[in-house]
Amino acid sequence: MTSPLIGVDELAARLGEVTVLDVRYRMGGPPGPDEYAAGHVPGAVFVDLDTALAAPPGPRGRHPLPDEEAFVRAMRAAGVRDDGPVVVYDDWSGHAAARCWWLLRFHGHRDVRVLDGSWAAWQAAGLPVEQGAPAPAPAPGDFTARPGAMPAVDATTVAATQVVIDARAPERFRGEVEPIDPVAGHIPGAVNVPTARNLGPDGRFLPAAGLADAYAAVGAVPAADVAVYCGSGVTAAHDVLALEVAGVAAALYPGSWSEWVADPARPVETG
C-alpha cells in the first residue's frame, strides 16, 4: 500500500506532475488566503475549508460534509483530475489537509497524499516558495465523485461501533473545559487519542509501528470496527489518516460532537 503521506523531498521532485492543494486553516488563526499569498508551494492552488470542504453550520454540526456537487466544483476548479495524483498540505499540523484527503478519498479519488510535516517542513528544508494571491488552477480538472469509498458513520450508528475514538484534547474529552460547543464531555464508551499523539517533536507523523502501538492500546487494531470523531469532523480525519498509516481502517463520524450534542436526548459522559 502506498503511504497516505509524502515527504517534502519527494514532493519537490514531483512538482509539475502532481496537483498540489494548499488548505491553510487554523481555528482562530490568520486567514488562509493571506497566508497563501505570503508564500506557498510552487504551483499550489488554495482551497478554502469553510466553503469547499464543509457545508454551512447547522443541525449536522459545525463543519458538515459539503454538498457533493459543490465539492466536485471546488476540486475541478483546483485542477483535480481523476487520473492525477494529489498532494494536500496546510500550516496546522496536517489537520485541515487530512480533512481534504479524507473527502477526496471518500469521493473515490485513489491517489491522495498529505505532506508530512506540513508547510513548516517545506520551509525548514529551504525549498522554493512562490508568492501571490489565490488564483484558479492553470487548467480545470475532471474529478468525478464516487462517494462511499471511505467508511463513515452517523449519530445513529456511531454508538454501535466497537471502538469509538475521540480525537480532541484530553481536557475536552473529559469535559473539564468546552470552549466551542454548548455541552462538555464525550460520547459514552469513547476512548481518547488526541491528534497531538500522532506526531513527533518535528511535527511529522510517527512511524507506522509507533502509531500502531498507540492505537492498539485503545483496541484499534486491524480486525476491529473503529470510528473517529472530534468537535466538528475536521481534526478527526487526522486520526483516520494516522490509523491508515498504521494499517487500520477507520470510519469518520463527520457530524462529531457538535452534531451529537445538538440533540439533548443523546447521552453524554464525562471524566
Side-chain angles (χ1 to χ4, degrees):
M1 182 189 74
T2 301
S3 172
L5 302 173
I6 186 171
V8 292
D9 291 340
E10 183 181 351
L11 176 57
R14 298 186 65 188
L15 288 181
E17 65 177 83
V18 300
T19 299
V20 183
L21 306 182
D22 182 312
V23 192
R24 304 286 181 94
Y25 178 92
R26 277 182 286 165
M27 193 180 303
D34 293 349
E35 294 295 289
Y36 171 93
H40 52 266
V41 172
V45 178
F46 178 75
V47 174
D48 182 73
L49 187 147
D50 282 327
T51 58
L53 307 181
R60 293 188 297 131
R62 285 185 281 109
H63 285 111
L65 295 187
D67 173 77
E68 182 181 311
E69 292 185 4
F71 178 67
V72 169
R73 284 196 303 270
M75 293 300 99
R76 289 182 176 180
V80 175
R81 300 186 59 82
D82 283 330
D83 60 354
V86 179
V87 173
V88 192
Y89 76 94
D90 61 22
D91 58 354
W92 188 28
S93 301
H95 292 88
R99 167 73 168 215
C100 189
W101 166 84
W102 187 87
L103 280 168
L104 280 166
R105 288 283 308 277
F106 174 80
H107 285 93
H109 202 294
R110 297 181 179 179
D111 193 355
V112 190
R113 300 169 77 183
V114 170
L115 181 61
D116 198 11
S118 305
W119 174 239
W122 185 269
Q123 291 179 298
L127 292 163
V129 172
E130 188 173 71
Q131 295 179 317
D142 63 358
F143 176 64
T144 303
R146 298 172 294 277
M150 291 281 279
V153 295
D154 58 24
T156 300
T157 57
V158 65
T161 306
Q162 180 183 3
V163 180
V164 180
I165 296 174
D166 185 315
R168 297 175 299 165
E171 61 272 18
R172 288 186 70 191
F173 171 81
R174 293 190 296 264
E176 296 166 2
V177 298
E178 182 44 67
I180 305 171
D181 294 306
V183 179
H186 57 264
I187 295 174
V191 292
N192 187 213
V193 184
T195 58
R197 197 177 298 176
N198 298 327
L199 306 176
D202 61 357
R204 290 176 170 83
F205 279 78
L206 296 173
L211 290 170
D213 287 345
Y215 283 97
V218 297
V221 295
D225 177 26
V226 182
V228 187
Y229 76 94
C230 59
S232 67
V234 173
T235 61
H238 199 274
D239 273 12
V240 175
L241 175 61
L243 282 157
E244 177 143 326
V245 173
V248 179
L252 179 73
Y253 173 23
S256 286
W257 187 244
S258 58
E259 179 189 45
W260 184 263
V261 298
D263 182 350
R266 295 188 184 116
V268 170
E269 192 169 78
T270 58

